[in-house]
Amino acid sequence: MNRMVILGTGSAVPERVLSNEDLEKMVDTSDEWITSRTGIKNRHIAGKGEETSRIAAVAAGRALAMAGLTAADIDMIIVGTITSDMGMPSCACLVQKELGAANAFAFDINAACSGFIYALDIADKYVRATPGLKILVVGAETLSARVNWEDRNTCVLFGDGAGACVVTGTAEDRGMLAGKLYSDGTLYRLLYMDSAPSMNKELLCKENDGSYIKMAGRDVFKYAVRSMEGAISSVLAQEELSVDDISLIIPHQANIRILKSLGERLGVADEKIYINLDKYGNTSAASIPIALDEANRQGCIRPGDLILLCAFGGGFTWGAALFRW
Ligand code: UT7
């Protein structure tokens, strides 16, 4: 059976760092509140020339270098993002342009914070059918463009960045073993972001009251913990494995308390959950591939290790993916 393996990982974040102390000067908040309620200390914020596609292309270039490939070797580019530079074309087409990946076709996935897991799952299906394909899977966001910088409930949470991996097929018994995706659109009002106001006045709905992220934090928190636990249990059951077999869980980085709760419910030691949200905040679709790249480059993942990725985000969308490295 063909499986999808990761040949290289890469990540990139904008240069400018915004600390909790900086935020204290912008809204009524404190380092103490942000740190104790979220675990976040810093986040990177994009500036001129650091559009989503540009950061994504830098991350992708690093993944290609690790894989020992060039842009011309890539057959397909999938970008998980809700903050593409433009409404059209897709961010993936702009990444293709930046890289000069002339042999690839490219498209975006809108699954909010689960965008990377969704993109990975799609790549897995392609590679199982055509193992020779080389696919660039990216999660990239500049959420700084879509938060209300006067709303302390949300502006302290998010950051900008991108992560990428290059995948292909193998006949060896390693790579992506199982994946499971879920959505529940009935709950969309708990976490959503408007697009540009409709020019067709009949389509204006009452949610079109600004282009900012809006979130019912406490509700999202509860769903995030339960949903990620369910997705993880499902992929483990599919492979008849237990959580004790897992070497490392790389979850979406939204809140340290969500991750601690998840660990407690699963019965997993803290050291088995990779956490870097103190440095980057919640980077939505970029958070898992940035963490995966860091863990990979730091040598936290060894050949043969079982690695679990899991995400939860707006939609609602959620899912998990299980790899043997
Ligand atoms: O990535 C997609 C998925 N997103 C998530 O998973 C996020 C899930 N939710 C969360 O992470 C948490 O719910 C938050 C971090 C967003 C909020 O933490 P919380 O412990 O649920 O706080 P809360 O919203 O219940 O607010 C508690 C208090 C409120 O004041 P009162 O009403 O008790 O007087 C808020 O107004 O904290 C206040 N507050 C703040 N205070 C200082 C809210 N934001 C801030 C702030 N600084 N930045």
Side-chain angles (χ1 to χ4, degrees), residues 274-314:
Y274 192 85
I275 293 174
N276 66 359
L277 59 71
D278 51 319
K279 293 188 282 184
Y280 307 115
N282 179 347
T283 57
S284 185
S287 89
I288 291 175
I290 291 174
L292 177 65
D293 181 49
E294 267 193 16
N296 190 20
R297 285 175 195 266
Q298 287 165 359
C300 303
I301 311 176
R302 288 168 298 276
D305 280 356
L306 284 168
I307 307 297
L308 250 172
L309 313 181
C310 63
F312 179 86

Short mmCIF file of all heavy atoms in Angstrom, two decimals, residues 274-314:
data_model
loop_
_atom_site.label_atom_id
_atom_site.label_comp_id
_atom_site.label_asym_id
_atom_site.label_seq_id
_atom_site.Cartn_x
_atom_site.Cartn_y
_atom_site.Cartn_z
N TYR A 274 3.66 18.90 22.14
CA TYR A 274 4.58 19.96 21.70
C TYR A 274 3.88 21.32 21.81
O TYR A 274 2.79 21.51 21.28
CB TYR A 274 5.03 19.73 20.26
CG TYR A 274 6.19 20.61 19.87
CD1 TYR A 274 7.49 20.25 20.17
CD2 TYR A 274 5.96 21.84 19.26
CE1 TYR A 274 8.56 21.08 19.85
CE2 TYR A 274 7.02 22.68 18.94
CZ TYR A 274 8.31 22.28 19.24
OH TYR A 274 9.36 23.11 18.94
N ILE A 275 4.54 22.25 22.50
CA ILE A 275 3.93 23.58 22.70
C ILE A 275 4.94 24.67 22.33
O ILE A 275 6.07 24.67 22.83
CB ILE A 275 3.48 23.74 24.17
CG1 ILE A 275 2.32 22.76 24.46
CG2 ILE A 275 3.03 25.19 24.45
CD1 ILE A 275 1.87 22.70 25.88
N ASN A 276 4.53 25.58 21.46
CA ASN A 276 5.37 26.74 21.15
C ASN A 276 4.55 28.03 21.06
O ASN A 276 5.00 29.02 20.51
CB ASN A 276 6.19 26.52 19.87
CG ASN A 276 5.31 26.44 18.63
OD1 ASN A 276 4.10 26.51 18.70
ND2 ASN A 276 5.95 26.28 17.48
N LEU A 277 3.32 28.00 21.58
CA LEU A 277 2.44 29.17 21.41
C LEU A 277 2.91 30.38 22.21
O LEU A 277 2.47 31.49 21.93
CB LEU A 277 0.98 28.82 21.68
CG LEU A 277 0.48 28.28 23.00
CD1 LEU A 277 0.50 29.30 24.11
CD2 LEU A 277 -0.93 27.79 22.81
N ASP A 278 3.78 30.16 23.19
CA ASP A 278 4.36 31.30 23.91
C ASP A 278 5.08 32.24 22.94
O ASP A 278 5.06 33.46 23.10
CB ASP A 278 5.32 30.82 25.01
CG ASP A 278 6.35 29.83 24.49
OD1 ASP A 278 5.98 28.95 23.68
OD2 ASP A 278 7.53 29.95 24.87
N LYS A 279 5.68 31.70 21.88
CA LYS A 279 6.47 32.52 20.94
C LYS A 279 5.66 33.11 19.79
O LYS A 279 6.02 34.15 19.25
CB LYS A 279 7.57 31.65 20.31
CG LYS A 279 8.64 31.22 21.29
CD LYS A 279 9.78 30.53 20.58
CE LYS A 279 9.44 29.12 20.21
NZ LYS A 279 10.54 28.37 19.61
N TYR A 280 4.58 32.40 19.40
CA TYR A 280 3.88 32.79 18.16
C TYR A 280 2.41 33.12 18.33
O TYR A 280 1.80 33.61 17.37
CB TYR A 280 3.99 31.65 17.13
CG TYR A 280 5.40 31.21 16.87
CD1 TYR A 280 5.82 29.93 17.20
CD2 TYR A 280 6.34 32.09 16.31
CE1 TYR A 280 7.13 29.51 16.97
CE2 TYR A 280 7.64 31.68 16.08
CZ TYR A 280 8.03 30.39 16.41
OH TYR A 280 9.31 29.99 16.19
N GLY A 281 1.80 32.83 19.48
CA GLY A 281 0.36 32.97 19.61
C GLY A 281 -0.36 31.97 18.73
O GLY A 281 0.23 30.96 18.31
N ASN A 282 -1.62 32.27 18.42
CA ASN A 282 -2.42 31.39 17.58
C ASN A 282 -2.24 31.83 16.12
O ASN A 282 -2.74 32.89 15.73
CB ASN A 282 -3.89 31.49 18.02
CG ASN A 282 -4.81 30.63 17.20
OD1 ASN A 282 -4.44 30.12 16.13
ND2 ASN A 282 -6.03 30.46 17.68
N THR A 283 -1.54 31.04 15.34
CA THR A 283 -1.31 31.38 13.92
C THR A 283 -2.25 30.60 13.00
O THR A 283 -1.94 30.41 11.81
CB THR A 283 0.16 31.16 13.51
OG1 THR A 283 0.50 29.79 13.75
CG2 THR A 283 1.11 32.07 14.26
N SER A 284 -3.37 30.12 13.54
CA SER A 284 -4.40 29.45 12.75
C SER A 284 -3.80 28.30 11.94
O SER A 284 -3.12 27.45 12.51
CB SER A 284 -5.12 30.50 11.88
OG SER A 284 -6.20 29.94 11.19
N ALA A 285 -4.04 28.29 10.63
CA ALA A 285 -3.59 27.15 9.81
C ALA A 285 -2.08 26.95 9.83
O ALA A 285 -1.58 25.88 9.48
CB ALA A 285 -4.05 27.33 8.38
N ALA A 286 -1.34 27.98 10.23
CA ALA A 286 0.14 27.87 10.23
C ALA A 286 0.67 27.20 11.49
O ALA A 286 1.84 26.78 11.52
CB ALA A 286 0.76 29.26 10.08
N SER A 287 -0.15 27.08 12.52
CA SER A 287 0.43 26.70 13.82
C SER A 287 0.98 25.27 13.82
O SER A 287 2.07 25.03 14.34
CB SER A 287 -0.60 26.91 14.94
OG SER A 287 -1.39 25.78 15.15
N ILE A 288 0.27 24.33 13.22
CA ILE A 288 0.77 22.94 13.23
C ILE A 288 2.04 22.80 12.38
O ILE A 288 3.03 22.24 12.85
CB ILE A 288 -0.33 21.94 12.81
CG1 ILE A 288 -1.40 21.89 13.91
CG2 ILE A 288 0.25 20.55 12.55
CD1 ILE A 288 -2.60 21.03 13.57
N PRO A 289 2.06 23.31 11.12
CA PRO A 289 3.31 23.12 10.35
C PRO A 289 4.51 23.89 10.92
O PRO A 289 5.64 23.44 10.76
CB PRO A 289 2.94 23.60 8.95
CG PRO A 289 1.73 24.46 9.11
CD PRO A 289 0.99 23.89 10.29
N ILE A 290 4.26 25.02 11.60
CA ILE A 290 5.40 25.71 12.25
C ILE A 290 5.93 24.82 13.38
O ILE A 290 7.14 24.59 13.51
CB ILE A 290 4.99 27.10 12.80
CG1 ILE A 290 4.68 28.09 11.68
CG2 ILE A 290 6.08 27.66 13.71
CD1 ILE A 290 4.14 29.44 12.15
N ALA A 291 5.02 24.29 14.19
CA ALA A 291 5.43 23.43 15.31
C ALA A 291 6.10 22.15 14.81
O ALA A 291 7.10 21.69 15.37
CB ALA A 291 4.22 23.11 16.18
N LEU A 292 5.55 21.58 13.73
CA LEU A 292 6.13 20.36 13.16
C LEU A 292 7.55 20.62 12.68
O LEU A 292 8.47 19.82 12.92
CB LEU A 292 5.24 19.87 12.00
CG LEU A 292 5.72 18.64 11.24
CD1 LEU A 292 5.74 17.41 12.12
CD2 LEU A 292 4.83 18.38 10.01
N ASP A 293 7.75 21.76 12.02
CA ASP A 293 9.09 22.09 11.52
C ASP A 293 10.07 22.30 12.68
O ASP A 293 11.20 21.81 12.64
CB ASP A 293 9.01 23.35 10.64
CG ASP A 293 10.36 23.73 10.08
OD1 ASP A 293 11.06 22.84 9.53
OD2 ASP A 293 10.77 24.90 10.20
N GLU A 294 9.60 23.01 13.70
CA GLU A 294 10.48 23.22 14.87
C GLU A 294 10.86 21.90 15.52
O GLU A 294 12.04 21.66 15.82
CB GLU A 294 9.74 24.08 15.91
CG GLU A 294 9.99 25.54 15.79
CD GLU A 294 9.51 26.30 17.02
OE1 GLU A 294 9.24 25.71 18.08
OE2 GLU A 294 9.40 27.52 16.89
N ALA A 295 9.86 21.07 15.76
CA ALA A 295 10.11 19.78 16.41
C ALA A 295 11.07 18.94 15.57
O ALA A 295 11.99 18.30 16.08
CB ALA A 295 8.79 19.05 16.62
N ASN A 296 10.88 18.97 14.26
CA ASN A 296 11.71 18.21 13.33
C ASN A 296 13.17 18.71 13.38
O ASN A 296 14.11 17.93 13.53
CB ASN A 296 11.13 18.37 11.92
CG ASN A 296 11.75 17.44 10.91
OD1 ASN A 296 12.34 16.43 11.27
ND2 ASN A 296 11.60 17.77 9.64
N ARG A 297 13.33 20.04 13.30
CA ARG A 297 14.69 20.60 13.27
C ARG A 297 15.39 20.48 14.62
O ARG A 297 16.62 20.43 14.69
CB ARG A 297 14.66 22.07 12.82
CG ARG A 297 14.42 22.18 11.33
CD ARG A 297 14.24 23.58 10.84
NE ARG A 297 13.67 23.57 9.50
CZ ARG A 297 14.38 23.62 8.37
NH1 ARG A 297 15.68 23.72 8.41
NH2 ARG A 297 13.77 23.57 7.19
N GLN A 298 14.61 20.45 15.71
CA GLN A 298 15.21 20.30 17.05
C GLN A 298 15.54 18.84 17.36
O GLN A 298 16.04 18.54 18.43
CB GLN A 298 14.24 20.83 18.12
CG GLN A 298 14.14 22.35 18.15
CD GLN A 298 12.92 22.83 18.94
OE1 GLN A 298 12.13 22.03 19.45
NE2 GLN A 298 12.77 24.14 19.04
N GLY A 299 15.21 17.94 16.44
CA GLY A 299 15.51 16.51 16.66
C GLY A 299 14.55 15.85 17.64
O GLY A 299 14.88 14.82 18.24
N CYS A 300 13.36 16.44 17.82
CA CYS A 300 12.38 15.84 18.75
C CYS A 300 11.66 14.65 18.12
O CYS A 300 10.89 13.96 18.78
CB CYS A 300 11.31 16.85 19.15
SG CYS A 300 11.94 18.33 19.89
N ILE A 301 11.85 14.46 16.80
CA ILE A 301 11.16 13.36 16.11
C ILE A 301 12.22 12.43 15.52
O ILE A 301 13.10 12.88 14.78
CB ILE A 301 10.27 13.89 14.96
CG1 ILE A 301 9.38 15.05 15.44
CG2 ILE A 301 9.41 12.78 14.40
CD1 ILE A 301 8.54 15.70 14.35
N ARG A 302 12.12 11.14 15.85
CA ARG A 302 13.10 10.17 15.35
C ARG A 302 12.41 9.18 14.40
O ARG A 302 11.21 8.94 14.53
CB ARG A 302 13.74 9.41 16.51
CG ARG A 302 14.71 10.26 17.33
CD ARG A 302 15.10 9.58 18.62
NE ARG A 302 13.93 9.37 19.47
CZ ARG A 302 13.45 10.31 20.31
NH1 ARG A 302 14.05 11.46 20.44
NH2 ARG A 302 12.36 10.06 21.03
N PRO A 303 13.21 8.59 13.49
CA PRO A 303 12.61 7.60 12.58
C PRO A 303 11.89 6.51 13.38
O PRO A 303 12.41 6.03 14.39
CB PRO A 303 13.82 7.02 11.85
CG PRO A 303 14.85 8.11 11.91
CD PRO A 303 14.64 8.82 13.22
N GLY A 304 10.69 6.17 12.94
CA GLY A 304 9.90 5.13 13.62
C GLY A 304 8.91 5.68 14.63
O GLY A 304 7.97 5.00 15.02
N ASP A 305 9.11 6.95 15.07
CA ASP A 305 8.19 7.55 16.05
C ASP A 305 6.78 7.67 15.48
O ASP A 305 6.60 7.96 14.29
CB ASP A 305 8.65 8.98 16.42
CG ASP A 305 9.77 8.99 17.45
OD1 ASP A 305 10.14 7.90 17.93
OD2 ASP A 305 10.28 10.08 17.76
N LEU A 306 5.80 7.50 16.37
CA LEU A 306 4.41 7.75 15.99
C LEU A 306 4.05 9.17 16.41
O LEU A 306 4.18 9.53 17.58
CB LEU A 306 3.48 6.75 16.66
CG LEU A 306 3.48 5.35 16.07
CD1 LEU A 306 2.75 4.37 16.98
CD2 LEU A 306 2.84 5.34 14.68
N ILE A 307 3.64 9.99 15.44
CA ILE A 307 3.36 11.41 15.66
C ILE A 307 1.90 11.69 15.33
O ILE A 307 1.40 11.25 14.29
CB ILE A 307 4.22 12.28 14.70
CG1 ILE A 307 5.70 11.91 14.79
CG2 ILE A 307 4.02 13.78 14.94
CD1 ILE A 307 6.32 12.16 16.13
N LEU A 308 1.24 12.40 16.23
CA LEU A 308 -0.18 12.75 16.02
C LEU A 308 -0.31 14.26 15.83
O LEU A 308 0.19 15.04 16.65
CB LEU A 308 -0.95 12.38 17.27
CG LEU A 308 -1.91 11.22 17.18
CD1 LEU A 308 -2.44 10.88 18.55
CD2 LEU A 308 -3.06 11.50 16.23
N LEU A 309 -0.96 14.67 14.76
CA LEU A 309 -1.28 16.09 14.56
C LEU A 309 -2.78 16.24 14.79
O LEU A 309 -3.57 15.38 14.35
CB LEU A 309 -0.95 16.53 13.13
CG LEU A 309 0.42 16.13 12.55
CD1 LEU A 309 0.57 16.69 11.13
CD2 LEU A 309 1.56 16.61 13.43
N CYS A 310 -3.21 17.33 15.45
CA CYS A 310 -4.66 17.52 15.61
C CYS A 310 -4.98 19.01 15.64
O CYS A 310 -4.18 19.82 16.08
CB CYS A 310 -5.19 16.83 16.86
SG CYS A 310 -4.53 17.47 18.38
N ALA A 311 -6.17 19.33 15.12
CA ALA A 311 -6.54 20.75 15.00
C ALA A 311 -8.02 20.95 15.26
O ALA A 311 -8.82 20.02 15.14
CB ALA A 311 -6.21 21.24 13.58
N PHE A 312 -8.34 22.20 15.59
CA PHE A 312 -9.73 22.60 15.74
C PHE A 312 -9.84 24.07 15.34
O PHE A 312 -8.96 24.87 15.70
CB PHE A 312 -10.18 22.45 17.20
CG PHE A 312 -11.62 22.88 17.40
CD1 PHE A 312 -12.65 22.00 17.18
CD2 PHE A 312 -11.92 24.19 17.76
CE1 PHE A 312 -13.98 22.39 17.32
CE2 PHE A 312 -13.24 24.59 17.90
CZ PHE A 312 -14.28 23.70 17.69
N GLY A 313 -10.89 24.44 14.61
CA GLY A 313 -11.01 25.85 14.23
C GLY A 313 -12.39 26.23 13.72
O GLY A 313 -13.33 25.43 13.78
N GLY A 314 -12.47 27.45 13.21
CA GLY A 314 -13.74 28.01 12.73
C GLY A 314 -14.38 27.12 11.68
O GLY A 314 -13.70 26.46 10.89
#
